Amino acid sequence: RLVCCFFFVLSVVDDLRQTLSLVSLLTHVPTSPDPWIKFEVPDALDKDTAKKMFSATELQFVKYQVAGMPLCWKLINCVFVVLPKCWIWWTFASSGFLFIMETPYIIDLVLNSMAMTFVLSLDELIFGSLATEASKHIMSSLEDMPLFDEPAEETEEVEQTLYRFQQEEFGHHRWKLTWLVIPKRLFVIVGVMFFFSFKYYYQNCQRAEDGSWISKPVYAPTEVPYNPLTFIYGLSLQRSADAIWSPEAFMNEGGE
């Protein structure tokens, strides 16, 4: 069960990383209406000469690159893209972890964990199946926006670069080298797995007198409304006053 939970959290954390990358994009791009599409011909050549020399079409001179974005479009992306992705991630991670923890049989547990990870790839499947060829070409040709300046190694001599490397990596900043080799994503995965494990036991279990964790009493719903919030989060769900299962009744039946 823990192995299945680990692989499920592995895929969930990767999806969270993509969402955080989108947030980083919105915060780093300039807040200005810059064009994302440019028509660039090689320097010192006109268009016709470049087409003949490189045997290229005009479409190959069209460049797509991440650039500035107006504030209104940043707000639209935050409200209609980032916030829904965060809500979907939290709902999927919570429901998926509960679904895996509640699965009793090993074969069903493995199949359910694989099915839950498949849900995360539905957006790529939909884009690959329904997007137009133009959209696929733009997304595959879209270039990143450089977020760094020209490194010092490009203008330094070899001796200067080696000396600066020894001072930074093996001098007073030796901890940077240790930080590079630490598997940070593994610690994030273990932390997320621990958090959802604690969340599951806190919401669905109670501490017994001997220190073990047992299930809380189960109450049947009096009605089943067709409400997504009720189905996912159990909001406004009316339950019966008598429990259909409780640890005390289970122990009494076992004792008898």
Side-chain angles (χ1 to χ4, degrees), residues 92-133:
F92 176 76
S94 301
S95 302
F97 205 90
L98 176 63
F99 187 58
I100 293 176
M101 293 295 289
E102 294 288 342
T103 303
Y105 302 108
I106 296 178
I107 297 178
D108 294 337
L109 181 64
V110 175
L111 294 177
N112 290 338
S113 62
M114 295 175 61
M116 295 302 294
T117 55
F118 169 75
V119 175
L120 292 175
S121 61
L122 287 179
D123 52 349
E124 288 86 358
L125 179 62
I126 293 174
F127 178 80
S129 302
L130 302 180
T132 61
E133 293 298 327

Side-chain angles (χ1 to χ4, degrees), residues 47 71-72 98-99 133 137 179 186 206 219 231 256:
K47 183 177 66 175
L71 180 60
C72 61
L98 176 63
F99 187 58
E133 293 298 327
H137 172 74
W179 180 252
L186 177 61
Q206 61 186 12
Y219 298 88
F231 175 73
E256 296 176 357

